Amino acid sequence: MKKILIVLVCLVLVGCGLCPAYMRSQSDYMKVSNIAIGGASKSRVKMMFGEPDSKEVYEDKSEKWIYKNREDNKTIVFLFTPSGAVGLTQIIPPEGVEQNK
């Protein structure tokens, strides 16, 4: 009985470590709000959203990453400071959608 319990506990702990389900289950809106409130780096944004659809690098080494057609066809924009920290986040609604429904 003890061996079965130990094996089950180990399987649960290994499963939790290998599969951060909370990260996948969060909506894009929750992820963006967590980043806006708590801050993040390029690597954290890349881990949460993947590679951006487009990237712009400015002369001062700041960057703008754009993720298109996310949840509800909205576009998510991250502006990074020259040090690589998120300086601004923005969620842009799709064009042509009435905002006052």
Side-chain angles (χ1 to χ4, degrees):
M1 183 69 170
K2 282 185 178 181
K3 290 181 183 179
I4 292 174
L5 184 59
I6 291 172
V7 169
L8 288 175
V9 169
C10 287
L11 288 174
V12 168
L13 292 176
V14 167
C16 291
L18 294 177
C19 181
Y22 75 92
M23 194 72 99
R24 283 192 301 265
S25 67
Q26 283 186 337
S27 71
D28 284 343
Y29 304 108
M30 287 296 295
K31 291 176 187 176
V32 171
S33 66
N34 288 338
I35 288 171
I37 292 169
S41 63
K42 291 180 195 176
S43 60
R44 182 170 176 215
V45 171
K46 191 179 286 188
M47 180 185 73
M48 294 174 86
F49 291 94
E51 286 291 327
D53 294 317
S54 65
K55 213 186 266 194
E56 296 177 27
V57 180
Y58 301 103
E59 289 181 23
D60 67 349
K61 305 291 186 208
S62 61
E63 293 184 29
K64 180 165 111 179
W65 290 8
I66 301 171
Y67 294 89
K68 297 179 182 174
N69 297 323
R70 299 296 290 197
E71 288 179 2
D72 302 329
N73 291 325
K74 294 187 178 174
T75 299
I76 300 172
V77 178
F78 294 100
L79 184 62
F80 295 94
T81 63
S83 65
V86 174
L88 177 74
T89 60
Q90 186 176 18
I91 298 176
I92 303 169
E95 293 178 6
V97 175
E98 293 180 31
Q99 294 185 15
N100 297 327
K101 286 189 175 181

